[in-house]
Amino acid sequence: MPTHWPSVGCCYWADGRATSSAGCGCSSAGWRCSPSPGLAPTAGALVAARAAQGVGAAFAAPASLALLATTFTEGPERQRALGVFSMIAGLGLTLGLILGGLLTTASWRWVFVINVPVGIAVIALARPFLTETPRHPAQFDVTGAIVSTAGMTSLVYGFIRAASDGWSDSLTVVTLAAGVGLLLGFLLIEARAEQPIMPLRLFAERLRAGAYTNMLLMSAAMGSFFFLSIFLQKVLDLSPLRTGLAFLPMPLVQFGGARTAPKLVARFGPKAITAVGTASALVSAVWLTQLDGASSYPGGVVGPLILLGLGIGLAFMPLNMVILAGLPLRDTGSASGLLQCLQQIGLAVGIAVLTTVYGTSLRNSADHPDAGLDPQAQVQARVQVQVQVQVQVHHELAHGIATSFIVLVAFIAVAFVVAVFVFKNRRPAAAGA
């Protein structure tokens, strides 16, 4: 989680104004791929190293999209480029899940150290192949960056604390209220800033504002990966490596969906493809709410993973296309930074809200005993009879995870409504036009 917080303030700025997009990506690649988290001697050092990685990612990720927007002309050429971009993201997810599971069998530290050769390769390849984009002098909105980061940190901490201490806890209430207040203050700052890190004109066009909303909601839905991994390891008793392999159907289908999306968008328009993608993800979310302690991988997990992968593969490419369409060059970096920032915020908030519901469900698990256990078996479970304890633990974990996925349904349902009623099959007007 610490990786997300520096991203909130820095993502908006990585737009090629103070430094070029290509230079930003090259310089931050080494930062993002630093081995320092893997070498951290304490938990505090690990958190600090991850925060530093967040700053590097905040510069590199928006720069990559900004480069796509400036390198490829709007239309079929850019659509194909965004399709490839989405496919590579799916491939990275696949390799990350599998390699992550494999490496953690040796040591969790290898998950971070393995990034070093990747970073070196990126820097080596970027310099000869990436062209510098025009530089635009600008002043960094320090106040906006600090307030937005503080607001998101406070908000997410409040959700996480509510999971363990309840909604009536005084610190929970204070941090949630502070988070909302700081984010409202951030909007006021941006409205008055001479050079805001988040130009509000990006939301002036209905279609682009809808795409940003859906990017936030769909990214929040991806917080379900965290709880699916818990289900696979704690309920189905899979090893880390087998858990990574168990996710394989999702990114493979996502890869195919992202590859097909540009052709489908050219034929049917972004509204139809985004709606189909969110509908597929919605069916997946509803299916996941049916998980219980007796669910199997083939019967309860594979189907939702396939549908979710299809939904992400189809929806993300047209969302990226709509957000970047019709923008003047000066706004491509800000638009890309905001897009990437909303993805990070959505993922963080999604995990926090799902954790809150999950924790509340576990606290109330005594009210949901496994119907398959007779009263005598439940008594035995309470006195630590091993087999029955394991069954009851699986039931409680599965019930908590399935309950948290109700929030997932809500996120994607709103995204589907936005896709159907807000989107139109036309490109957005230029920001500020």
Side-chain angles (χ1 to χ4, degrees):
M1 288 290 233
T3 309
H4 300 311
W5 307 141
S7 303
V8 177
C10 297
C11 264
Y12 306 119
W13 189 50
D15 63 352
R17 294 181 298 185
T19 56
S20 72
S21 295
C24 243
C26 290
S27 64
S28 61
W31 199 350
R32 173 61 174 164
C33 298
S34 167
S36 54
L39 303 177
T42 64
L46 175 60
V47 171
R50 290 289 285 158
Q53 282 191 322
V55 176
F59 282 110
S64 62
L65 267 180
L67 281 168
L68 284 179
T70 56
T71 303
F72 299 96
T73 58
E74 189 172 337
E77 184 182 33
R78 186 183 295 176
Q79 291 176 19
R80 287 193 296 270
L82 289 172
V84 173
F85 182 85
S86 299
M87 285 190 292
I88 296 301
L91 181 61
L93 177 60
T94 303
L95 294 176
L97 288 169
I98 297 173
L99 287 178
L102 178 62
L103 292 172
T104 52
T105 59
S107 172
W108 62 267
R109 296 179 183 275
W110 280 102
V111 175
F112 299 106
V113 176
I114 194 66
N115 290 326
V116 175
V118 176
I120 293 173
V122 169
I123 294 173
L125 292 173
R127 291 191 178 277
F129 288 106
L130 296 183
T131 303
E132 290 282 358
T133 56
R135 299 175 183 234
H136 305 280
Q139 183 178 359
F140 184 41
D141 181 10
V142 177
T143 304
I146 293 174
V147 172
S148 62
T149 302
M152 283 308 308
T153 303
S154 180
L155 188 66
V156 173
Y157 177 79
F159 279 121
I160 293 175
R161 185 172 179 86
S164 59
D165 294 79
W167 292 99
S168 60
D169 176 70
S170 58
L171 186 55
T172 298
V173 175
V174 169
T175 52
L176 287 173
V180 173
L182 286 168
L183 292 177
L184 290 175
F186 169 66
L187 293 178
L188 293 176
I189 291 170
E190 297 308 281
R192 299 175 181 176
E194 182 177 350
Q195 293 181 324
I197 56 175
M198 187 185 75
L200 298 184
R201 63 179 176 270
L202 292 174
F203 298 99
E205 210 282 330
R206 168 180 167 176
L207 184 53
R208 184 175 291 109
Y212 275 130
T213 301
N214 268 16
M215 185 62 73
L216 176 68
L217 292 167
M218 292 295 287
S219 298
M222 293 176 70
S224 61
F225 299 165
F226 175 72
F227 286 95
L228 272 176
S229 66
I230 292 178
F231 181 85
L232 291 170
Q233 293 187 64
K234 300 299 184 182
V235 179
L236 298 186
D237 295 320
L238 299 184
S239 66
L241 176 57
R242 293 181 66 192
T243 297
L245 292 172
F247 275 100
L248 195 56
M250 184 193 68
L252 290 179
V253 176
Q254 178 188 348
F255 188 90
R259 182 178 181 181
T260 308
K263 297 179 181 179
L264 295 176
V265 168
R267 181 172 181 180
F268 299 105
K271 175 178 180 176
I273 305 308
T274 303
V276 170
T278 51
S280 177
L282 182 58
V283 174
S284 170
V286 173
W287 194 341
L288 287 173
T289 62
Q290 305 306 305
L291 290 175
D292 57 38
S295 297
S296 66
Y297 174 72
V301 180
V302 173
L305 284 177
I306 291 174
L307 290 173
L308 185 59
L310 178 64
I312 293 173
L314 291 178
F316 271 49
M317 178 268 162
L319 290 178
N320 290 332
M321 183 194 76
V322 167
I323 288 170
L324 296 177
L327 284 172
L329 184 61
R330 65 187 175 91
D331 282 334
T332 55
S334 295
S336 301
L338 179 57
L339 186 156
Q340 294 286 339
C341 191
L342 289 177
Q343 287 183 325
Q344 297 296 323
I345 291 173
L347 180 59
V349 172
I351 292 177
V353 175
L354 288 169
T355 299
T356 301
V357 177
Y358 173 73
T360 302
S361 177
L362 287 185
R363 290 200 305 270
N364 298 329
S365 60
D367 298 330
H368 303 277
D370 190 337
L373 296 178
D374 58 41
Q376 183 60 37
Q378 292 176 35
V379 171
Q380 291 176 335
R382 298 301 179 187
V383 295
Q384 304 294 300
V385 176
Q386 186 63 39
V387 175
Q388 295 298 334
V389 166
Q390 188 70 13
V391 172
Q392 184 64 22
V393 167
H394 282 184
H395 165 72
E396 292 175 358
L397 286 173
H399 176 78
I401 292 170
T403 302
S404 72
F405 286 151
I406 295 175
V407 179
L408 179 66
V409 172
F411 285 146
I412 303 178
V414 175
F416 178 74
V417 171
V418 171
V420 172
F421 295 103
V422 176
F423 274 42
K424 294 181 180 180
N425 279 326
R426 61 180 179 84
R427 77 176 193 175

